[in-house]
Amino acid sequence: MARRSLGGAAGWTEARTWAWLGWLAVAPAAGCGVEGAVSLHFDVPDEPGLRPTGAETLTLVAQVGDDAPRATTAEIDDDGQVDLGELPLGDELWLSAQMRNPQAQLVGYGEAGGPIEIAAGVDTEATIPVRRPFVYLAGAGARLISFDASIGRDFEGQVAAGATPARLADVGGTAVAHISASGAVAYVSTATHQAASLPAVQLTGGALDAIASPDGAFLLVAQGGGSPQVAVIEVATGAVELAPAPGAVERVAVTRGADGGWWGVGLVGRAASDTSCGGSQLLTFPLADPETATVIAAGAPVSDLAGDARSGVVVLADRCGDRLLRFRPESGAVDGTPILAGIASPTAVAALGGRVWAVGHDRLETASPDVPDGVIDAWLVLGSTRLDGADAVVTPLEPVVERVLAENADYPDQDLVMDLHANWVEAQDLVILPGGEQLALLLSTVLHGDALGDDGFGGVLIPETDVTTEEYWVFDPSSAVITQRVRTTCDVEEGPCGTFCLVPEWACLPDIAAPAAGAFSPTGIAALFGAR
Amino acid sequence: MTISTTNARLAAGLVIVLVALAAAAAPARAAGPDPKRAVAVFEYRAGSAALPEIDGRIAGLLRKHTSLEIIDGDAARKTYGARLDADIVACAGEADCVAAIGAKAGAKEVLLVGVSEFGDVILTLQRIDVKRKKVAMRIAEALAETVEPDDDALLGYCKRVLPESDFLQFGTIRIKANLAGAEVLLGRDTRGQTPIEPIKVRAPATYDIKLTKAGYVPFSARVAVPPDGEVEVEARLTREGAGGAWYTKWWVAAIAGVVVAGGVGIGVWASQDDPTSVPVGGTID
């Protein structure tokens, strides 16, 4: 990626002298005035529907080690050229790019595939793939749907996936891996939304979860059933190695070790409910040698885990302990001191750039006879903290209320509706969109309406109503404002109604957007350049 | 110091190359923004009391390290009026609005220093072109609440948002000698023979000057050149073994002959420190 014009085995002084002379030789032609330069190629798709549009500025974010990132923003000229000032010299510089429109919306995002080296007297070239901030959802009916997180629902695309995708993973921003329930692994190019020229793989057994290493070199597929393991796929070649597990692996995460190698962590014995409070197990393995996987007792009922790409930390969501814990796969040690406490029943967690977000849930119960089901409200709880436990914040979101519409009371000037307060709401999955400005969430809700009225013959006037929904949200964690909300399913079941029943049938109010491709249950989510 | 014939030829060749390139590169540099243009430094806060007086500190650093005409908040209020701060707040960071205020304050550019908080303290610097009413460059830095950036850090931010050429300050060394044909060395670089034109150098910096001529005692002096200043060196070379009065010795002349004068010094970039950064550009395709 980097092109060194001069160098070699010369001593420091000699090398600098030759570099200087080399620069003198090219300076008049280039019209520049200093030694060395960095030329970045921001690779955007040719396909108009996939190409970031309306970008006015480009922000280059550079980070060296654990230093604070440096952001430089400049206007994009009519020829697509941008002058980004200066970059510091360094051995390992991580670069990312953000394109924004005049309203400061993120319309394109990209990251270099790995760190680059910048040295004085050296011309360095690097390519950064830049894509729209797409979130992909997979589900039944061969659905692979893309949402542009920056522009509301103006761009919802159906991507041809071939087999029915069940799980998804972002592969370095340039491809999306989709894995079917039967273990067929294939890739879609994010530049074309067509099949990518990466080798397909057929795994033995289905997929319960999937994630790629941040550099896109490896895809990890968590499996259960007759094949309790994590399959580690080398994306470029399709070579598969297996990390055997003592039971079904329901979640998987990846992080970077101190030696620069990637480590995988699988979750066995996931806490699937708020009362499943037995201890979980963690399967840890270096991606370079998955067969050496070891199993460690987590010491807590873990519902989800997330790896921070650079720090080597995996965050565990302790569902019954209402807290987040840290785990380092290299040392095999779970730190018992929580980095976030007081987040009720966390079920989804994601980490990016040294910060972690988690979503739990809570509800208000009552013994009042006026509330036969005993639940007044249910809501999600959002938590966030740095990986060292600093800046910890826990924020309850608004209680979930679903409005249902009476179907047989269709008057031109009047509607009959009921507001049902949720009995249960639970985050199913969470991804951090690039830059950490927004979160995308899959959640499910259960709502119940009690029967009302007496028709005088032992029946009721309004039947009891059970509603289940599944939704996709994009929201700003700093303000908890939801910027996109798509209700992917909404099912209503009514109980028996009396002889003189007033409104026997109810339907979900179409006030929340539904997928253009029709209702479906999401089973997988991935965000380009995002983190889970 | 003894210079072998080969090295002397190499050195002479380098001088020719350097001179030729300086001439070739000069037009490109001249096309950059005026290094003495008026830049207003305004502060804009969004509910944060962090980094007090940050605009004043930045204005002071720019006065010290550039040749720009800096218009700070106090100076701008004299021309714009007492509504300056309220109007900047009302602009809410919009470039065209801030540019209009900058124009009334007599600035060619506005450096808008923004302070906000989002967990961390967010410090943003926007360089707004008053004529084009657009943001030419913008950076954002996330700082821990307890961290107050020192002057080096602030200057580093400024260097990322302002053109590099703004931080190239120059001075002039004017050398007068009592004889012609003496070779003039500035540091290790040969700069010609006396009589010699004024030499433009990076400033502030300290330079070793040496004049040599066969048969004469070399003249040496060390001078500190201030930005936009002019240092005059009067060198008197005496014949070897000539003896003479104490006041004819070179070191007396060196001490007595250095005169620092105010003045304007803009010229060729004659020396360069080790770089800590390189320029970066990109193409979207």
Side-chain angles (χ1 to χ4, degrees), chain B residues 125-152:
Chain B
L125 297 183
Q126 293 187 68
R127 179 179 153 224
I128 297 170
D129 186 317
V130 167
K131 188 175 180 182
R132 296 177 58 220
K133 300 181 180 177
K134 287 198 168 185
V135 177
M137 187 71 87
R138 174 168 53 214
I139 66 166
E141 288 287 330
L143 307 170
E145 275 184 283
T146 55
V147 172
E148 183 87 9
D150 59 18
D151 285 355
D152 287 344

PDB file of all heavy atoms in Angstrom, chain B residues 125-152:
ATOM      1  N   LEU B 125     -11.876  23.969  15.743  1.00  0.00           N
ATOM      2  CA  LEU B 125     -11.323  25.154  15.100  1.00  0.00           C
ATOM      3  C   LEU B 125     -11.792  25.147  13.659  1.00  0.00           C
ATOM      4  O   LEU B 125     -11.576  24.177  12.935  1.00  0.00           O
ATOM      5  CB  LEU B 125      -9.793  25.143  15.141  1.00  0.00           C
ATOM      6  CG  LEU B 125      -9.102  25.194  16.507  1.00  0.00           C
ATOM      7  CD1 LEU B 125      -7.593  25.245  16.332  1.00  0.00           C
ATOM      8  CD2 LEU B 125      -9.568  26.376  17.310  1.00  0.00           C
ATOM      9  N   GLN B 126     -12.440  26.218  13.265  1.00  0.00           N
ATOM     10  CA  GLN B 126     -12.895  26.353  11.884  1.00  0.00           C
ATOM     11  C   GLN B 126     -12.242  27.582  11.270  1.00  0.00           C
ATOM     12  O   GLN B 126     -12.316  28.671  11.840  1.00  0.00           O
ATOM     13  CB  GLN B 126     -14.409  26.518  11.814  1.00  0.00           C
ATOM     14  CG  GLN B 126     -15.179  25.303  12.234  1.00  0.00           C
ATOM     15  CD  GLN B 126     -16.656  25.488  11.973  1.00  0.00           C
ATOM     16  OE1 GLN B 126     -17.092  25.547  10.837  1.00  0.00           O
ATOM     17  NE2 GLN B 126     -17.429  25.596  13.031  1.00  0.00           N
ATOM     18  N   ARG B 127     -11.643  27.373  10.130  1.00  0.00           N
ATOM     19  CA  ARG B 127     -11.048  28.491   9.402  1.00  0.00           C
ATOM     20  C   ARG B 127     -12.031  28.891   8.305  1.00  0.00           C
ATOM     21  O   ARG B 127     -12.277  28.124   7.373  1.00  0.00           O
ATOM     22  CB  ARG B 127      -9.710  28.061   8.806  1.00  0.00           C
ATOM     23  CG  ARG B 127      -9.009  29.103   8.019  1.00  0.00           C
ATOM     24  CD  ARG B 127      -7.679  28.564   7.514  1.00  0.00           C
ATOM     25  NE  ARG B 127      -7.288  29.247   6.301  1.00  0.00           N
ATOM     26  CZ  ARG B 127      -6.795  28.642   5.234  1.00  0.00           C
ATOM     27  NH1 ARG B 127      -6.633  27.340   5.221  1.00  0.00           N
ATOM     28  NH2 ARG B 127      -6.471  29.328   4.182  1.00  0.00           N
ATOM     29  N   ILE B 128     -12.601  30.059   8.465  1.00  0.00           N
ATOM     30  CA  ILE B 128     -13.668  30.495   7.572  1.00  0.00           C
ATOM     31  C   ILE B 128     -13.141  31.596   6.660  1.00  0.00           C
ATOM     32  O   ILE B 128     -12.611  32.608   7.125  1.00  0.00           O
ATOM     33  CB  ILE B 128     -14.884  30.996   8.379  1.00  0.00           C
ATOM     34  CG1 ILE B 128     -15.458  29.824   9.200  1.00  0.00           C
ATOM     35  CG2 ILE B 128     -15.940  31.590   7.470  1.00  0.00           C
ATOM     36  CD1 ILE B 128     -16.488  30.244  10.213  1.00  0.00           C
ATOM     37  N   ASP B 129     -13.287  31.362   5.379  1.00  0.00           N
ATOM     38  CA  ASP B 129     -12.887  32.342   4.380  1.00  0.00           C
ATOM     39  C   ASP B 129     -13.992  33.395   4.290  1.00  0.00           C
ATOM     40  O   ASP B 129     -15.126  33.086   3.912  1.00  0.00           O
ATOM     41  CB  ASP B 129     -12.689  31.639   3.032  1.00  0.00           C
ATOM     42  CG  ASP B 129     -12.122  32.572   1.977  1.00  0.00           C
ATOM     43  OD1 ASP B 129     -12.582  33.724   1.891  1.00  0.00           O
ATOM     44  OD2 ASP B 129     -11.229  32.141   1.226  1.00  0.00           O
ATOM     45  N   VAL B 130     -13.666  34.621   4.633  1.00  0.00           N
ATOM     46  CA  VAL B 130     -14.687  35.669   4.721  1.00  0.00           C
ATOM     47  C   VAL B 130     -15.282  35.969   3.348  1.00  0.00           C
ATOM     48  O   VAL B 130     -16.492  36.139   3.197  1.00  0.00           O
ATOM     49  CB  VAL B 130     -14.071  36.942   5.349  1.00  0.00           C
ATOM     50  CG1 VAL B 130     -14.992  38.140   5.169  1.00  0.00           C
ATOM     51  CG2 VAL B 130     -13.813  36.708   6.830  1.00  0.00           C
ATOM     52  N   LYS B 131     -14.443  36.019   2.323  1.00  0.00           N
ATOM     53  CA  LYS B 131     -14.940  36.372   1.001  1.00  0.00           C
ATOM     54  C   LYS B 131     -15.827  35.274   0.430  1.00  0.00           C
ATOM     55  O   LYS B 131     -16.897  35.522  -0.111  1.00  0.00           O
ATOM     56  CB  LYS B 131     -13.759  36.632   0.074  1.00  0.00           C
ATOM     57  CG  LYS B 131     -14.143  37.186  -1.286  1.00  0.00           C
ATOM     58  CD  LYS B 131     -12.899  37.518  -2.093  1.00  0.00           C
ATOM     59  CE  LYS B 131     -13.277  38.078  -3.461  1.00  0.00           C
ATOM     60  NZ  LYS B 131     -12.060  38.349  -4.263  1.00  0.00           N
ATOM     61  N   ARG B 132     -15.378  34.019   0.572  1.00  0.00           N
ATOM     62  CA  ARG B 132     -16.141  32.903   0.014  1.00  0.00           C
ATOM     63  C   ARG B 132     -17.270  32.458   0.934  1.00  0.00           C
ATOM     64  O   ARG B 132     -18.114  31.658   0.559  1.00  0.00           O
ATOM     65  CB  ARG B 132     -15.211  31.735  -0.274  1.00  0.00           C
ATOM     66  CG  ARG B 132     -14.169  32.049  -1.347  1.00  0.00           C
ATOM     67  CD  ARG B 132     -13.214  30.892  -1.544  1.00  0.00           C
ATOM     68  NE  ARG B 132     -13.925  29.680  -1.921  1.00  0.00           N
ATOM     69  CZ  ARG B 132     -13.638  28.463  -1.482  1.00  0.00           C
ATOM     70  NH1 ARG B 132     -12.657  28.305  -0.632  1.00  0.00           N
ATOM     71  NH2 ARG B 132     -14.327  27.424  -1.881  1.00  0.00           N
ATOM     72  N   LYS B 133     -17.218  32.913   2.187  1.00  0.00           N
ATOM     73  CA  LYS B 133     -18.243  32.560   3.178  1.00  0.00           C
ATOM     74  C   LYS B 133     -18.330  31.051   3.369  1.00  0.00           C
ATOM     75  O   LYS B 133     -19.419  30.470   3.494  1.00  0.00           O
ATOM     76  CB  LYS B 133     -19.610  33.124   2.788  1.00  0.00           C
ATOM     77  CG  LYS B 133     -19.631  34.635   2.677  1.00  0.00           C
ATOM     78  CD  LYS B 133     -20.998  35.140   2.306  1.00  0.00           C
ATOM     79  CE  LYS B 133     -20.990  36.655   2.206  1.00  0.00           C
ATOM     80  NZ  LYS B 133     -22.256  37.197   1.779  1.00  0.00           N
ATOM     81  N   LYS B 134     -17.186  30.407   3.331  1.00  0.00           N
ATOM     82  CA  LYS B 134     -17.169  28.955   3.473  1.00  0.00           C
ATOM     83  C   LYS B 134     -16.078  28.532   4.439  1.00  0.00           C
ATOM     84  O   LYS B 134     -15.099  29.241   4.645  1.00  0.00           O
ATOM     85  CB  LYS B 134     -16.936  28.285   2.122  1.00  0.00           C
ATOM     86  CG  LYS B 134     -18.140  28.356   1.199  1.00  0.00           C
ATOM     87  CD  LYS B 134     -18.020  27.346   0.095  1.00  0.00           C
ATOM     88  CE  LYS B 134     -19.330  27.205  -0.656  1.00  0.00           C
ATOM     89  NZ  LYS B 134     -19.292  26.150  -1.650  1.00  0.00           N
ATOM     90  N   VAL B 135     -16.274  27.344   4.995  1.00  0.00           N
ATOM     91  CA  VAL B 135     -15.244  26.772   5.869  1.00  0.00           C
ATOM     92  C   VAL B 135     -14.142  26.184   5.004  1.00  0.00           C
ATOM     93  O   VAL B 135     -14.384  25.296   4.191  1.00  0.00           O
ATOM     94  CB  VAL B 135     -15.839  25.688   6.779  1.00  0.00           C
ATOM     95  CG1 VAL B 135     -14.750  25.037   7.633  1.00  0.00           C
ATOM     96  CG2 VAL B 135     -16.909  26.271   7.673  1.00  0.00           C
ATOM     97  N   ALA B 136     -12.943  26.707   5.171  1.00  0.00           N
ATOM     98  CA  ALA B 136     -11.818  26.210   4.384  1.00  0.00           C
ATOM     99  C   ALA B 136     -11.193  24.994   5.037  1.00  0.00           C
ATOM    100  O   ALA B 136     -10.658  24.126   4.356  1.00  0.00           O
ATOM    101  CB  ALA B 136     -10.770  27.303   4.223  1.00  0.00           C
ATOM    102  N   MET B 137     -11.217  24.925   6.343  1.00  0.00           N
ATOM    103  CA  MET B 137     -10.625  23.791   7.061  1.00  0.00           C
ATOM    104  C   MET B 137     -11.245  23.737   8.440  1.00  0.00           C
ATOM    105  O   MET B 137     -11.540  24.768   9.035  1.00  0.00           O
ATOM    106  CB  MET B 137      -9.105  23.945   7.152  1.00  0.00           C
ATOM    107  CG  MET B 137      -8.390  22.753   7.716  1.00  0.00           C
ATOM    108  SD  MET B 137      -8.374  21.330   6.621  1.00  0.00           S
ATOM    109  CE  MET B 137      -6.912  21.705   5.651  1.00  0.00           C
ATOM    110  N   ARG B 138     -11.430  22.535   8.924  1.00  0.00           N
ATOM    111  CA  ARG B 138     -12.051  22.394  10.238  1.00  0.00           C
ATOM    112  C   ARG B 138     -11.436  21.192  10.935  1.00  0.00           C
ATOM    113  O   ARG B 138     -11.200  20.159  10.316  1.00  0.00           O
ATOM    114  CB  ARG B 138     -13.554  22.185  10.079  1.00  0.00           C
ATOM    115  CG  ARG B 138     -14.292  21.895  11.364  1.00  0.00           C
ATOM    116  CD  ARG B 138     -15.789  22.003  11.165  1.00  0.00           C
ATOM    117  NE  ARG B 138     -16.239  21.187  10.052  1.00  0.00           N
ATOM    118  CZ  ARG B 138     -17.236  21.512   9.243  1.00  0.00           C
ATOM    119  NH1 ARG B 138     -17.878  22.630   9.397  1.00  0.00           N
ATOM    120  NH2 ARG B 138     -17.602  20.715   8.259  1.00  0.00           N
ATOM    121  N   ILE B 139     -11.152  21.331  12.205  1.00  0.00           N
ATOM    122  CA  ILE B 139     -10.687  20.187  12.985  1.00  0.00           C
ATOM    123  C   ILE B 139     -11.488  20.117  14.267  1.00  0.00           C
ATOM    124  O   ILE B 139     -12.083  21.114  14.708  1.00  0.00           O
ATOM    125  CB  ILE B 139      -9.181  20.261  13.322  1.00  0.00           C
ATOM    126  CG1 ILE B 139      -8.896  21.444  14.259  1.00  0.00           C
ATOM    127  CG2 ILE B 139      -8.341  20.361  12.069  1.00  0.00           C
ATOM    128  CD1 ILE B 139      -7.521  21.388  14.885  1.00  0.00           C
ATOM    129  N   ALA B 140     -11.543  18.949  14.838  1.00  0.00           N
ATOM    130  CA  ALA B 140     -12.215  18.766  16.126  1.00  0.00           C
ATOM    131  C   ALA B 140     -11.341  17.890  17.002  1.00  0.00           C
ATOM    132  O   ALA B 140     -10.791  16.897  16.541  1.00  0.00           O
ATOM    133  CB  ALA B 140     -13.573  18.109  15.908  1.00  0.00           C
ATOM    134  N   GLU B 141     -11.227  18.285  18.238  1.00  0.00           N
ATOM    135  CA  GLU B 141     -10.417  17.522  19.188  1.00  0.00           C
ATOM    136  C   GLU B 141     -11.267  17.203  20.406  1.00  0.00           C
ATOM    137  O   GLU B 141     -11.951  18.078  20.940  1.00  0.00           O
ATOM    138  CB  GLU B 141      -9.197  18.337  19.637  1.00  0.00           C
ATOM    139  CG  GLU B 141      -8.123  18.494  18.596  1.00  0.00           C
ATOM    140  CD  GLU B 141      -7.348  17.195  18.366  1.00  0.00           C
ATOM    141  OE1 GLU B 141      -7.231  16.404  19.304  1.00  0.00           O
ATOM    142  OE2 GLU B 141      -6.876  16.998  17.238  1.00  0.00           O
ATOM    143  N   ALA B 142     -11.253  15.952  20.816  1.00  0.00           N
ATOM    144  CA  ALA B 142     -11.943  15.554  22.044  1.00  0.00           C
ATOM    145  C   ALA B 142     -10.931  15.562  23.184  1.00  0.00           C
ATOM    146  O   ALA B 142      -9.900  14.905  23.111  1.00  0.00           O
ATOM    147  CB  ALA B 142     -12.547  14.172  21.880  1.00  0.00           C
ATOM    148  N   LEU B 143     -11.231  16.330  24.210  1.00  0.00           N
ATOM    149  CA  LEU B 143     -10.306  16.466  25.332  1.00  0.00           C
ATOM    150  C   LEU B 143     -10.994  15.999  26.601  1.00  0.00           C
ATOM    151  O   LEU B 143     -12.178  16.272  26.807  1.00  0.00           O
ATOM    152  CB  LEU B 143      -9.881  17.937  25.499  1.00  0.00           C
ATOM    153  CG  LEU B 143      -9.326  18.633  24.255  1.00  0.00           C
ATOM    154  CD1 LEU B 143      -9.194  20.138  24.522  1.00  0.00           C
ATOM    155  CD2 LEU B 143      -7.965  18.064  23.891  1.00  0.00           C
ATOM    156  N   ALA B 144     -10.257  15.312  27.432  1.00  0.00           N
ATOM    157  CA  ALA B 144     -10.809  14.937  28.733  1.00  0.00           C
ATOM    158  C   ALA B 144     -11.124  16.209  29.512  1.00  0.00           C
ATOM    159  O   ALA B 144     -10.449  17.226  29.360  1.00  0.00           O
ATOM    160  CB  ALA B 144      -9.808  14.067  29.489  1.00  0.00           C
ATOM    161  N   GLU B 145     -12.176  16.113  30.326  1.00  0.00           N
ATOM    162  CA  GLU B 145     -12.641  17.313  31.040  1.00  0.00           C
ATOM    163  C   GLU B 145     -11.546  17.967  31.862  1.00  0.00           C
ATOM    164  O   GLU B 145     -11.512  19.176  32.023  1.00  0.00           O
ATOM    165  CB  GLU B 145     -13.801  16.924  31.965  1.00  0.00           C
ATOM    166  CG  GLU B 145     -15.153  16.907  31.268  1.00  0.00           C
ATOM    167  CD  GLU B 145     -16.254  16.606  32.265  1.00  0.00           C
ATOM    168  OE1 GLU B 145     -16.398  15.437  32.642  1.00  0.00           O
ATOM    169  OE2 GLU B 145     -16.941  17.547  32.649  1.00  0.00           O
ATOM    170  N   THR B 146     -10.667  17.125  32.399  1.00  0.00           N
ATOM    171  CA  THR B 146      -9.650  17.653  33.307  1.00  0.00           C
ATOM    172  C   THR B 146      -8.386  18.115  32.577  1.00  0.00           C
ATOM    173  O   THR B 146      -7.457  18.595  33.211  1.00  0.00           O
ATOM    174  CB  THR B 146      -9.267  16.577  34.327  1.00  0.00           C
ATOM    175  OG1 THR B 146      -8.870  15.402  33.604  1.00  0.00           O
ATOM    176  CG2 THR B 146     -10.440  16.223  35.214  1.00  0.00           C
ATOM    177  N   VAL B 147      -8.364  17.953  31.288  1.00  0.00           N
ATOM    178  CA  VAL B 147      -7.149  18.272  30.538  1.00  0.00           C
ATOM    179  C   VAL B 147      -7.253  19.667  29.930  1.00  0.00           C
ATOM    180  O   VAL B 147      -8.223  19.987  29.240  1.00  0.00           O
ATOM    181  CB  VAL B 147      -6.912  17.240  29.415  1.00  0.00           C
ATOM    182  CG1 VAL B 147      -5.758  17.687  28.523  1.00  0.00           C
ATOM    183  CG2 VAL B 147      -6.612  15.878  30.028  1.00  0.00           C
ATOM    184  N   GLU B 148      -6.274  20.481  30.236  1.00  0.00           N
ATOM    185  CA  GLU B 148      -6.187  21.812  29.644  1.00  0.00           C
ATOM    186  C   GLU B 148      -5.037  21.762  28.639  1.00  0.00           C
ATOM    187  O   GLU B 148      -3.887  21.526  29.031  1.00  0.00           O
ATOM    188  CB  GLU B 148      -5.887  22.844  30.732  1.00  0.00           C
ATOM    189  CG  GLU B 148      -5.836  24.275  30.250  1.00  0.00           C
ATOM    190  CD  GLU B 148      -7.195  24.951  30.248  1.00  0.00           C
ATOM    191  OE1 GLU B 148      -8.149  24.340  30.799  1.00  0.00           O
ATOM    192  OE2 GLU B 148      -7.304  26.044  29.717  1.00  0.00           O
ATOM    193  N   PRO B 149      -5.293  21.906  27.356  1.00  0.00           N
ATOM    194  CA  PRO B 149      -4.197  21.788  26.390  1.00  0.00           C
ATOM    195  C   PRO B 149      -3.146  22.872  26.622  1.00  0.00           C
ATOM    196  O   PRO B 149      -3.485  24.039  26.861  1.00  0.00           O
ATOM    197  CB  PRO B 149      -4.903  21.960  25.044  1.00  0.00           C
ATOM    198  CG  PRO B 149      -6.185  22.639  25.347  1.00  0.00           C
ATOM    199  CD  PRO B 149      -6.570  22.227  26.729  1.00  0.00           C
ATOM    200  N   ASP B 150      -1.879  22.470  26.564  1.00  0.00           N
ATOM    201  CA  ASP B 150      -0.830  23.456  26.747  1.00  0.00           C
ATOM    202  C   ASP B 150      -0.601  24.214  25.435  1.00  0.00           C
ATOM    203  O   ASP B 150      -1.251  23.938  24.416  1.00  0.00           O
ATOM    204  CB  ASP B 150       0.459  22.803  27.250  1.00  0.00           C
ATOM    205  CG  ASP B 150       0.986  21.748  26.292  1.00  0.00           C
ATOM    206  OD1 ASP B 150       0.568  21.750  25.119  1.00  0.00           O
ATOM    207  OD2 ASP B 150       1.809  20.926  26.711  1.00  0.00           O
ATOM    208  N   ASP B 151       0.322  25.153  25.473  1.00  0.00           N
ATOM    209  CA  ASP B 151       0.527  25.994  24.293  1.00  0.00           C
ATOM    210  C   ASP B 151       1.000  25.189  23.091  1.00  0.00           C
ATOM    211  O   ASP B 151       0.617  25.475  21.953  1.00  0.00           O
ATOM    212  CB  ASP B 151       1.548  27.103  24.623  1.00  0.00           C
ATOM    213  CG  ASP B 151       0.929  28.185  25.492  1.00  0.00           C
ATOM    214  OD1 ASP B 151      -0.285  28.117  25.749  1.00  0.00           O
ATOM    215  OD2 ASP B 151       1.665  29.086  25.934  1.00  0.00           O
ATOM    216  N   ASP B 152       1.833  24.181  23.345  1.00  0.00           N
ATOM    217  CA  ASP B 152       2.294  23.353  22.231  1.00  0.00           C
ATOM    218  C   ASP B 152       1.124  22.649  21.555  1.00  0.00           C
ATOM    219  O   ASP B 152       1.059  22.542  20.329  1.00  0.00           O
ATOM    220  CB  ASP B 152       3.322  22.325  22.727  1.00  0.00           C
ATOM    221  CG  ASP B 152       4.652  22.966  23.063  1.00  0.00           C
ATOM    222  OD1 ASP B 152       4.869  24.119  22.630  1.00  0.00           O
ATOM    223  OD2 ASP B 152       5.455  22.339  23.762  1.00  0.00           O
TER     224      ASP B 152
END
